[in-house]
Amino acid sequence: MKILTVCGLGMGSSLILKMNVESVLKQQGIQASVEHMDVSSAASANADLVITNAELVDNLRHLSCPVVIVNNYIDSKEIAQALEQAGILTRGA
């Protein structure tokens, strides 16, 4: 499974989100390849799931994979909810 975390420049906040997504997945015993990148690169990338913020989601809606929104990149509960929404985590896990 390949997950992309996306921000405007792909350098800061997407890296923070990547590390926190990996932490949530690790806590649940789920293995995935998580990469961070900028919104332009993500628009043509292949992934099973893209996680970004509300401001950038319209740039990625054309992708064939689910695109979910996380606005607080350090909130593990919000990240877990986004992963539940995408079907990666089971509700209440």
Side-chain angles (χ1 to χ4, degrees):
M1 173 185 333
K2 182 176 178 181
I3 298 173
L4 300 181
T5 59
V6 178
C7 69
L9 299 176
M11 298 170 68
S13 54
S14 63
L15 176 58
I16 292 168
L17 180 59
K18 171 191 182 292
M19 293 186 307
N20 288 319
V21 167
E22 289 173 331
S23 177
V24 169
L25 291 172
K26 183 177 179 180
Q27 289 172 358
Q28 298 300 318
I30 298 172
Q31 292 189 350
S33 170
V34 184
E35 298 178 21
H36 68 101
M37 64 180 57
D38 67 279
V39 68
S40 296
S41 298
S44 60
N46 290 320
D48 298 305
L49 173 66
V50 173
I51 305 174
T52 190
N53 63 36
E55 295 175 10
L56 299 176
V57 72
D58 287 340
N59 297 314
L60 302 167
R61 288 201 190 274
H62 68 280
L63 296 174
S64 59
C65 67
V67 179
V68 295
I69 297 170
V70 170
N71 290 304
N72 185 341
Y73 288 3
I74 60 171
D75 184 348
S76 60
K77 288 183 180 179
E78 185 178 354
I79 293 168
Q81 289 172 343
L83 293 170
E84 287 176 3
Q85 179 185 351
I88 306 297
L89 296 182
T90 304
R91 291 202 184 274

